Amino acid sequence: MQPSREHEKPHLVVVGNGMAGTRLLEELLTLEPSRYRITVFSAEQAPGYNRVLLSPVLGGERDEPSIITHDAEWYAARGIQLVLGDPVVSIERRQKYVVSRSGKRVPYHRLVLATGAQPRRLSCAGADASGIATFRDLRDTRDLIRASECSRNAVVIGGGFLGIEAAEGLHRRGVNVTLIHSGKWLLNRQLNAEAGALLRDDLLRRGLHVRLSARTASFDSDHRGRVRAVRLKDGTRLPADLVVQAIGIEPDTTLARAAGLHCEQGILTDDTLQTFDPAIYAVGECVQHRRRTFGLVAPLYEQAKVCAAHLAEQGHRRYHYQDSATRLKVSGVAMFSAGNIQGASDLYWHDPQAGFYRRLWLDGTRLSGVVLYGDTSGASWYEQQLGRDISAWRDTLLFADRLPEQAA
Ligand SMILES: Cc1cc2nc3c(=O)[nH]c(=O)nc-3n(C[C@H](O)[C@H](O)[C@H](O)COP(=O)(O)OP(=O)(O)OC[C@H]3O[C@@H](n4cnc5c(N)ncnc54)[C@H](O)[C@@H]3O)c2cc1C
């Protein structure tokens, strides 16, 4: 019997079916729908879903089916073998095969690591109590929703995007939430102090509690090992039967390190997303590219495009990092931040009654950073102007997005 043509194709194995892994598949299939036989391993049970939308799922604004982006039929229709709930546990680089937890041994010609990141966890006294959760995947989200049904007081640790969205989500589910943040203001990497204060006021008005410059010292638990309170370094005791840690992420390099791939904070790649092993690529939050690691989807999508072009052997692309804009997914709170907002800003407007705020940073004659709060209708206009010479309309720049001749 003749071997089927399918088995003559080179085999591509993708480890991780998250946002970078699924985007890579999309990009590759667009360029070269039939170059490879493809197997995808996922540690999660769920098929492809939009992780960004876990926040509205936690808040009850969306349901699980609405965030599925790639269901089992999508893979089947493209002849992709999808292995769910079975993480790859080792890579045998010399003989080029991977081994999964269930013992599957799958050879590859090309391997892509898209293993994402792990939430950071505190290691202070009491941190192993039950009821101390993270917010990273669908399983965490389900656990938080379940816990919200029997929790009265939650403490969310971390006033970045994830922490604020987790706090808002639990609050919408009727839990009394205190958000604690070690910075002097919320979102202190994306917002300046004034915009951060506007955000805190908005959250307070909604009924959340916010504590700034607050550092966790330890957790109290009851005789069953369930968390009962968070103790801060200033001695404050915050009662809590649920705690969410949202204190950042770390690239998941476990598999790559064990296989002897060169890693620092993340898996080191060159501008083509190739690791130190020419048969192995990496994309997404597991990557470290030119000393940088990642935490937003926009750069990962660009990486997926570049990596797919090289896998398709149309390798003219190079990955270059570009700053991406950030928005908070808390309905009723409009904020936008882009570019470099360090140092003194140049242009500023605030209408306290309407709650509208704009601040722009200039680098010589170029727009270098922008923060909008309350009204973000000009966000995409300002984003397009970043890095451009704006001297022609400096006088009107604060409202330039509303002037027809400049918005055009
Ligand atoms: C609640 C939430 C809200 C967010 N909101 C935003 C937002 O508004 N805007 C934005 O830009 N970004 C947002 N992000 C960040 C964004 O989701 C991530 O940047 C993106 O998902 C990272 O994609 P990734 O594919 O690298 O990692 P992931 O999406 O985490 O995918 C990695 C996958 O690999 C799997 N895996 C790991 N090891 C193995 C193994 N050995 N074998 C098999 N599978 C493995 C993991 O289980 C996971 O499923 C948010 C994140 C969260 C959690």
Side-chain angles (χ1 to χ4, degrees):
M1 205 171 94
Q2 291 284 318
S4 83
R5 305 251 353 228
E6 193 56 22
H7 277 82
E8 290 167 13
K9 291 182 184 175
H11 192 198
L12 171 68
V13 173
V14 180
V15 182
N17 190 45
M19 300 198 66
T22 49
R23 182 55 74 106
L24 173 88
L25 295 174
E26 296 269 10
E27 297 282 357
L28 178 61
L29 295 177
T30 306
L31 293 173
E32 277 284 356
S34 53
R35 171 176 292 263
Y36 292 99
R37 214 158 32 91
I38 303 177
T39 302
V40 179
F41 281 93
S42 174
E44 294 187 61
Q45 286 292 353
Y49 64 91
N50 187 339
R51 197 172 301 282
V52 166
L53 295 177
L54 289 176
S55 303
V57 171
L58 178 61
E61 295 153 283
R62 295 188 73 133
D63 59 9
E64 277 187 27
S66 76
I67 70 164
I68 302 296
T69 52
H70 298 75
D71 57 15
E73 287 72 45
W74 186 88
Y75 298 86
R78 287 153 186 85
I80 299 172
Q81 174 89 27
L82 175 64
V83 186
L84 292 174
D86 191 13
V88 169
V89 291
S90 68
I91 305 169
E92 176 45 65
R93 283 168 51 210
R94 242 189 260 160
Q95 293 171 57
K96 290 201 178 136
Y97 64 84
V98 298
V99 181
S100 74
R101 190 166 59 193
S102 73
K104 289 191 183 68
R105 187 178 142 146
V106 178
Y108 63 82
H109 294 90
R110 292 278 182 275
L111 177 66
V112 177
L113 300 178
T115 50
Q118 290 287 339
R120 262 191 211 126
R121 289 160 206 270
L122 290 166
S123 55
C124 55
D128 54 354
S130 64
I132 302 179
T134 52
F135 182 30
R136 175 72 194 176
D137 56 25
L138 200 48
R139 204 174 60 175
D140 291 343
T141 311
R142 287 178 188 156
D143 289 348
L144 286 172
I145 292 171
R146 217 172 299 124
S148 73
E149 285 156 14
C150 51
S151 301
R152 273 197 303 171
N153 298 305
V155 170
V156 176
I157 306 174
F161 282 101
L162 197 65
I164 296 171
E165 291 177 10
E168 165 70 3
L170 291 171
H171 173 69
R172 288 177 73 97
R173 290 193 177 265
V175 184
N176 180 40
V177 182
T178 303
L179 175 64
I180 65 176
H181 183 49
S182 58
K184 289 189 181 141
W185 63 88
L186 295 171
L187 289 181
N188 52 298
R189 282 203 258 158
Q190 290 81 14
L191 296 180
N192 57 322
E194 276 167 313
L198 293 174
L199 173 59
R200 185 204 53 206
D201 292 347
D202 264 343
L203 297 182
L204 294 177
R205 264 194 294 276
R206 282 162 184 252
L208 281 103
H209 310 281
V210 179
R211 279 179 167 264
L212 299 171
S213 304
R215 292 188 168 271
T216 308
S218 61
F219 300 99
D220 291 354
S221 52
D222 62 16
H223 65 283
R224 287 173 305 156
R226 271 208 71 85
V227 71
R228 282 289 163 249
V230 177
R231 286 191 187 268
L232 302 182
K233 288 200 172 152
D234 67 4
T236 310
R237 182 180 184 276
L238 300 170
D241 35 23
L242 175 63
V243 173
V244 183
Q245 303 184 74
I247 53 170
I249 54 170
E250 271 163 24
D252 190 338
T253 58
T254 326
L255 192 58
R257 266 181 220 280
L261 287 174
H262 195 8
C263 299
E264 287 174 2
Q265 264 182 288
I267 307 168
L268 293 190
T269 69
D270 65 12
D271 293 350
T272 70
L273 283 314
Q274 200 173 47
T275 67
F276 277 55
D277 180 332
I280 307 182
Y281 289 76
V283 288
E285 284 183 351
C286 59
V287 163
Q288 180 177 337
H289 173 260
R290 295 182 183 245
R291 300 197 178 163
R292 195 184 285 278
T293 55
F294 304 87
L296 293 171
V297 285
L300 317 184
Y301 284 176
E302 187 54 29
Q303 289 175 5
K305 199 177 263 184
V306 172
C307 182
H310 286 271
L311 290 171
E313 293 180 18
Q314 300 176 14
H316 53 282
R317 285 175 178 270
R318 291 280 179 277
Y319 176 68
H320 299 288
Y321 175 78
Q322 273 195 315
D323 272 336
S324 30
T326 42
R327 293 166 201 266
L328 187 65
K329 302 188 300 299
V330 170
S331 52
V333 175
M335 68 131 286
F336 171 81
S337 160
N340 182 4
I341 63 155
Q342 304 303 318
S345 78
D346 292 88
L347 298 168
Y348 158 76
W349 173 73
H350 185 194
D351 176 349
Q353 237 177 352
F356 294 168
Y357 176 90
R358 291 180 166 204
R359 200 174 260 279
L360 306 177
W361 283 256
L362 302 181
D363 179 6
T365 57
R366 294 181 192 281
L367 180 65
S368 55
V370 50
V371 166
L372 307 178
Y373 195 88
D375 170 17
T376 54
S377 53
S380 32
W381 189 85
Y382 282 110
E383 199 176 358
Q384 284 164 24
Q385 308 310 314
L386 279 175
R388 292 205 182 149
D389 185 343
I390 47 73
S391 38
W393 58 69
R394 192 182 193 284
D395 293 353
T396 53
L397 190 64
L398 265 173
F399 300 101
D401 58 308
R402 296 173 183 188
L403 302 174
E405 69 278 17
Q406 285 162 9

